Amino acid sequence: MRTPPSLLSLSIDSALLNLSNFSDLSPLPDHILLDLFLRTLKAGKLTEKILMLFMATGKDEVLALIQSLNIQLITPVLPTSKKMSQTNIGDDEVDIVIGALHADLTSFLNEWRPLFSRFHLIIVKDPDLREELKIPEGFNLHVYTKSDIDRVVGSSYTAINFSGYSCRYFGYLMSRKKYIFSVDDDCIPAKDDKGLSVDAVDQHITNLATPATPFFFNTLYDPFRKGTDFVRGYPFSLRSGVTCALSCGLWLNLADHDAPTQALKPGHRNSRYVDAVLTVPARALMPVSGVNIAFNRELAGPALFPGLRLAAEGKLRWETVEDIWCGLCVKVVCDHLGLGVKTGLPYVWRNDRGNAIESLKKEWEGVKLMEEVVPFFQSVRLSQAAVTTEDCMLEIVALVKERLATLDPVFARAAQAMADWIKLWKAVGSGSGSSRPSNG
Amino acid sequence: MAGTPATPLLKDELDIVIPTIRNLDFLEMWRPFFQQYHLIIVQDGDPSKTIRVPDGFDYELYNRNDINRILGPKASCISFKDSACRCFGYLVSKKKYIYTIDDDCFVAKDPSGKDINALEQHIKNLLAPSTPFFFNTLYDPYRDGADFVRGYPFSLREGVPTAVSHGLWLNIPDYDAPTQLVKPRERNTRYVDAVMTIPKGTLFPMCGMNLGFNRELIGPAMYFGLMGDGQPIGRYDDMWAGWCTKIICDHMGLGIKTGLPYIWHSKASNPFVNLKKEYKGIYWQEELIPFFQSVILPKECTTVQKCYIELSKQVRAKLGKVDEYFIKLADAMVTWIEAWDELNPSGASAEVRNGPAK
């Protein structure tokens, strides 16, 4: 009959049964360690923790065996649908850029603390702001002020003005992360239609991490969201989607209307929570609001800049259109390069601020300019040679000079600002650790 | 605008078209919302079967014998054994608006638990303008509580007439067969409180389950194709109508909206049966989409009928190569327009913004 098991063999069996109780295997002699390892494999008991235990012994033979068997640690597959289509975006790949138009950021940052604390923040102080910034403790952040702007930009890029809402673009320039989330300093986290707090950062990251579908409209909106999919009739060849370069969020309470609209309906507040994210179709243009956006810095960065500056631009969104201009540039570029732009969730809560009628008295210019701006962008056609965002932007600059500059000096200045920005981006802004098309 | 008036009923200007092969029991649930309207029932399948219509509804019912009698040889363009036959109802209607719904669609509830009057929402959508030339990030700006966002050019804020209102479905989602097979349990539970205009130049998959349209503006384009018995394809009827309609709406400067209202879709069709029906469509679609995306309608096409005939020529020329089915379909498209003009001689569905409403 079979020889009875040896004492050693029984000991190893017992060790195997109690493997999870061990914290250190290094006292074991090499040959016993090896035997134990092989039995662990055979018994199917090799977990991550147990593997680490064996590797921690540092014994050559065990390590060599692990390597020759090609045993690797695999990140567990999370139970979310369409995981294959989702890029993993780590917290360390995101910068949160805040343009500080108000000196006291205490309550703003405290409201956002639960959502911001795990990220790196870039705060850019409006160069026109005189007071010192007040920033609460506990954030991993970097502050840029007028002196930094002057130092980096110097006197070579005179067309670019970083004051007011445009200060955030300096943050985009200085960031070295792949993704940026930017929100106005008069917004706080919103609650959804069920009363739950909205994690705006997380939603933007999800929007950027999942594909966009600009070539065909999905009537169930973003097909990559949980609980939904492509509808019947959606071509299969278009279902893998394209990279999302820009995610545009929305606002509850004070919506981003222009001054005339808000002045006409002073009590009007946006209370409708629309539970959708959708891709803005290719060749469809839209007004991008800079109040709550996130983007892929490599792809969209060169197209987001302080370009269209109104003569009497002020410190309220009603008195600017610079973000609308950039948004149109980004969309045209994305359409040309086959990238996507999403809109919808997440919402932020926008605090009441300012007086629409006052802004209206002060500033009509933005509203008038849109009448020229929109048809212009609708007619822009870029050449096949433009294969990067920078290439596309240079072509747009030329077209602005050719077609818009003569209509209003503000456009000529915008074209100059765009040209300067591209140079500045190449000189200072390029590079973020990931490979991109070589372009200076 | 403060104090929006109640939505007009339009009960003398709207017909509800329902294709059915089973029964009309679902109408009981819709009674509070539908009873005031005239129904056009298109009975598919065996004409000797009697379909009982619940009491109290004002309706006309057509079975296959009626279709053959009314259209004669032109009846060949109307599908048999497929809900595509519903477009016969559009042909014989005399009203300005059509609402069509499937017999397995019931009244849904909104998040507050209230019953949704789908028809009322479709009417709101159709009576308010569309905005296809520039996307409004707050969706339909004409809705209560919404408006245009900053940056939206004022010259585009008048919008264009809305030709189609495409509603959605809670519960059983409208997935194709492969998706149904992979996700048999998925239910659409997300109520998205939005209506939006589908931008010009963008195609979409139109579902005929919960659809409203302005018959005078776009009726002739709503041909649901050759499907079902004797045809190599099924479940692409509404898709086909949707692509043709979108192209023509883009050309004529009309708008198509999608989103609210929701209905409750109760019956999940058999995915294996669906796969057999859709199979060819899944492959042909890959040719159809580039075809539709590149269609250019000449300026001379100033009416929907002219656009549609031109489209049929291009279908024959370019898609005939894909399969001879498309040659048959092109013929059927022409037959459809001939039938339309014969049954609607006043030319009420001609140019955009023609005469006053009936």
Side-chain angles (χ1 to χ4, degrees):
Chain A
M1 297 272 289
R2 294 175 64 202
T3 33
S6 67
L7 199 56
L8 178 60
S9 163
L10 286 170
S11 304
I12 295 180
D13 286 346
S14 177
L16 188 59
L17 277 174
N18 293 289
L19 210 42
S20 46
N21 295 327
F22 288 105
S23 56
D24 184 10
L25 291 174
S26 23
L28 288 177
D30 290 10
H31 64 289
I32 294 178
L33 189 66
L34 210 55
D35 204 347
L36 181 59
F37 185 72
L38 289 169
R39 299 249 198 126
T40 310
L41 282 179
K42 207 165 158 194
K45 281 179 154 248
L46 191 68
T47 65
E48 186 184 324
K49 185 175 165 223
I50 308 275
L51 180 65
M52 308 277 27
L53 209 56
F54 279 101
M55 286 170 73
T57 63
K59 299 285 168 74
D60 291 329
E61 278 203 44
V62 173
L63 294 175
L65 189 59
I66 290 172
Q67 199 169 10
S68 67
L69 289 172
N70 200 23
I71 296 174
Q72 291 166 22
L73 280 172
I74 307 224
T75 335
V77 175
L78 299 168
T80 52
S81 60
K82 296 185 247 344
K83 187 77 178 121
M84 294 183 287
S85 317
Q86 182 153 337
T87 322
N88 261 322
I89 297 185
D91 293 351
D92 58 348
E93 294 181 83
V94 179
D95 257 337
I96 298 182
V97 175
I98 308 293
L101 270 70
H102 301 92
D104 190 350
L105 295 175
T106 319
S107 74
F108 168 77
L109 284 173
N110 279 332
E111 291 276 4
W112 284 100
R113 190 185 289 274
L115 306 180
F116 280 8
S117 53
R118 58 189 223 265
F119 297 99
H120 176 249
L121 271 62
I122 291 180
I123 311 230
V124 185
K125 185 179 166 195
D126 177 1
D128 294 341
L129 205 53
R130 302 233 183 264
E131 309 106 85
E132 286 294 306
L133 285 182
K134 278 212 203 83
I135 295 173
E137 297 284 315
F139 290 96
N140 170 16
L141 54 74
H142 203 113
V143 181
Y144 293 104
T145 61
K146 183 174 189 312
S147 53
D148 298 302
I149 297 175
D150 290 340
R151 179 179 44 84
V152 169
V153 176
S155 49
S156 348
Y157 306 96
T158 49
I160 304 176
N161 187 339
F162 284 105
S163 79
Y165 280 103
S166 297
C167 63
R168 60 168 59 185
Y169 296 109
F170 187 75
Y172 301 170
L173 189 67
M174 301 309 288
S175 167
R176 287 294 172 265
K177 299 290 169 69
K178 188 165 178 199
Y179 301 96
I180 289 186
F181 165 57
S182 192
V183 66
D184 279 2
D185 66 357
D186 56 2
C187 296
I188 56 173
K191 288 207 185 344
D192 69 15
D193 51 352
K194 296 174 184 63
L196 299 169
S197 245
V198 172
D199 187 341
V201 191
D202 190 65
Q203 181 65 56
H204 273 302
I205 289 177
T206 303
N207 292 351
L208 292 170
T210 49
T213 50
F215 305 120
F216 207 75
F217 191 88
N218 192 43
T219 49
L220 279 181
Y221 315 112
D222 188 343
F224 295 97
R225 274 189 89 191
K226 199 155 167 241
T228 191
D229 214 306
F230 290 96
V231 293
R232 173 176 58 96
Y234 202 104
F236 277 79
S237 61
L238 295 178
R239 295 193 187 198
S240 43
V242 297
T243 308
C244 179
L246 177 66
S247 165
C248 305
L250 293 172
W251 347 268
L252 289 172
N253 192 44
L254 197 67
D256 196 6
H257 294 305
D258 49 65
T261 305
Q262 193 73 63
L264 199 62
K265 304 163 143 187
H268 168 74
R269 296 292 179 272
N270 187 26
S271 55
R272 183 175 290 133
Y273 186 90
V274 178
D275 190 3
V277 184
L278 57 135
T279 300
V280 182
R283 291 181 312 279
L285 296 180
M286 48 46 104
V288 170
S289 163
V291 173
N292 168 20
I293 56 167
F295 57 96
N296 179 319
R297 189 181 168 276
E298 290 168 23
L299 297 174
L304 291 167
F305 58 94
L308 192 64
R309 193 174 190 92
L310 300 179
E313 184 165 304
K315 310 290 184 191
L316 291 165
R317 282 284 181 197
W318 287 316
E319 296 161 5
T320 69
V321 282
E322 50 86 12
D323 49 350
I324 313 291
W325 177 269
C326 300
L328 292 168
C329 290
V330 173
K331 187 59 166 61
V332 165
V333 170
C334 283
D335 286 350
H336 180 77
L337 297 179
L339 302 169
V341 174
K342 291 187 184 178
T343 186
L345 300 182
Y347 281 85
V348 296
W349 179 274
R350 197 161 171 246
N351 286 325
D352 283 275
R353 198 162 81 83
N355 181 321
I357 296 177
E358 288 305 314
S359 295
L360 186 60
K361 280 191 222 164
K362 208 178 124 182
E363 190 50 79
W364 246 118
E365 200 190 350
V367 166
K368 279 191 297 176
L369 289 175
M370 279 302 123
E371 299 300 328
E372 309 290 347
V373 168
V374 170
F376 165 73
F377 278 101
Q378 281 173 333
S379 68
V380 164
R381 299 284 177 269
L382 302 173
S383 76
Q384 293 289 35
V387 296
T388 64
T389 306
E390 289 93 327
D391 292 344
C392 293
M393 289 303 291
L394 286 169
E395 288 193 10
I396 296 177
V397 171
L399 290 169
V400 173
K401 285 190 176 144
E402 189 188 302
R403 297 189 208 163
L404 284 180
T406 43
L407 294 175
D408 193 306
V410 76
F411 294 126
R413 286 196 294 271
Q416 196 47 51
M418 287 164 80
D420 274 3
W421 177 261
I422 296 160
K423 283 195 216 120
L424 186 57
W425 187 268
K426 283 186 187 171
V428 178
S430 291
S432 66
S434 329
S435 62
R436 49 210 288 275
S438 56
N439 192 11
Chain B
M1 278 188 281
T4 22
T7 312
L9 274 178
L10 300 183
K11 64 182 177 68
D12 296 322
E13 294 178 73
L14 187 146
D15 273 338
I16 302 180
V17 172
I18 305 167
T20 187
I21 196 162
R22 293 176 281 245
N23 61 64
L24 293 169
D25 295 347
F26 85 117
L27 278 177
E28 277 308 331
M29 200 191 185
W30 286 102
R31 193 182 284 275
F33 304 123
F34 285 5
Q35 188 148 351
Q36 302 187 68
Y37 296 88
H38 180 71
L39 311 181
I40 296 181
I41 318 281
V42 183
Q43 179 183 337
D44 198 11
D46 182 2
S48 65
K49 179 174 171 202
T50 310
I51 302 269
R52 204 193 79 81
V53 182
D55 295 330
F57 283 99
D58 168 41
Y59 70 96
E60 44 193 296
L61 187 147
Y62 300 93
N63 61 28
R64 193 71 205 184
N65 294 338
D66 299 313
I67 295 172
N68 290 337
R69 178 176 46 84
I70 293 171
L71 292 181
K74 296 199 184 71
S76 59
C77 74
I78 303 295
S79 305
F80 184 61
K81 291 296 251 324
D82 192 285
S83 62
C85 64
R86 73 177 80 215
C87 62
F88 178 79
Y90 311 158
L91 210 50
V92 296
S93 166
K94 298 282 171 272
K95 303 283 173 57
K96 183 171 177 184
Y97 301 96
I98 298 272
Y99 173 51
T100 184
I101 184 171
D102 279 11
D103 62 8
D104 59 353
C105 294
F106 294 82
V107 178
K109 286 194 189 320
D110 70 17
S112 73
K114 186 166 160 249
D115 279 353
I116 298 171
N117 184 346
L119 190 47
E120 185 185 56
Q121 182 65 54
H122 277 295
I123 290 174
K124 278 193 183 137
N125 294 348
L126 289 169
L127 292 181
S130 294
T131 50
F133 304 122
F134 204 59
F135 188 86
N136 192 44
T137 49
L138 277 183
Y139 315 113
D140 188 344
Y142 305 102
R143 273 188 87 193
D144 254 341
D147 214 309
F148 290 96
V149 294
R150 176 173 55 99
Y152 205 104
F154 275 78
S155 59
L156 293 179
R157 295 193 187 199
E158 217 181 276
V160 297
T162 302
V164 180
S165 167
H166 178 260
L168 296 174
W169 352 270
L170 290 172
N171 194 40
I172 309 284
D174 190 21
Y175 288 161
D176 49 63
T179 309
Q180 270 183 296
L181 284 165
V182 169
K183 299 174 150 194
R185 293 220 162 135
E186 189 150 274
R187 298 288 177 264
N188 187 22
T189 54
R190 186 175 290 131
Y191 184 92
V192 178
D193 191 1
V195 183
M196 63 190 82
T197 302
I198 301 181
K200 180 178 177 180
T202 303
L203 291 175
F204 77 114
M206 185 176 86
C207 173
M209 262 200 268
N210 172 21
L211 185 70
F213 61 93
N214 184 324
R215 192 179 160 277
E216 276 178 15
L217 284 181
I218 202 65
M222 281 287 185
Y223 173 51
F224 273 47
L226 288 173
M227 305 277 148
D229 228 42
Q231 306 298 343
I233 186 176
R235 282 170 60 86
Y236 271 85
D237 52 334
D238 41 6
M239 297 297 137
W240 182 262
W243 297 328
C244 294
T245 296
K246 186 61 165 59
I247 296 295
I248 295 176
C249 281
D250 285 352
H251 177 81
M252 306 276 289
L254 301 170
I256 295 187
K257 292 184 180 178
T258 185
L260 300 183
Y262 282 88
I263 46 89
W264 181 270
H265 184 211
S266 69
K267 194 171 183 296
S269 39
N270 184 312
F272 295 100
V273 171
N274 289 344
L275 189 56
K276 261 202 260 174
K277 290 183 186 172
E278 289 173 13
Y279 182 76
K280 288 220 157 101
I282 289 174
Y283 290 98
W284 285 347
Q285 198 171 255
E286 300 298 331
E287 311 278 349
L288 297 180
I289 299 310
F291 164 76
F292 279 105
Q293 282 173 336
S294 62
V295 161
I296 298 174
L297 296 172
K299 283 200 179 65
E300 297 77 50
C301 294
T302 51
T303 67
V304 176
Q305 287 95 322
K306 286 190 189 143
C307 290
Y308 205 75
I309 297 289
E310 173 60 32
L311 205 48
S312 73
K313 289 190 190 136
Q314 296 192 27
V315 168
R316 188 188 313 274
K318 298 192 193 154
L319 294 177
K321 303 179 203 140
V322 175
D323 193 284
E324 57 174 38
Y325 165 78
F326 291 102
I327 305 210
K328 264 184 22 182
L329 183 58
D331 287 340
M333 289 168 78
V334 175
T335 307
W336 162 263
I337 295 294
E338 286 169 3
W340 185 280
D341 285 342
E342 199 180 288
L343 292 178
N344 301 281
S346 64
S349 328
E351 327 270 345
V352 183
R353 294 189 222 254
N354 60 332
K358 285 200 276 275

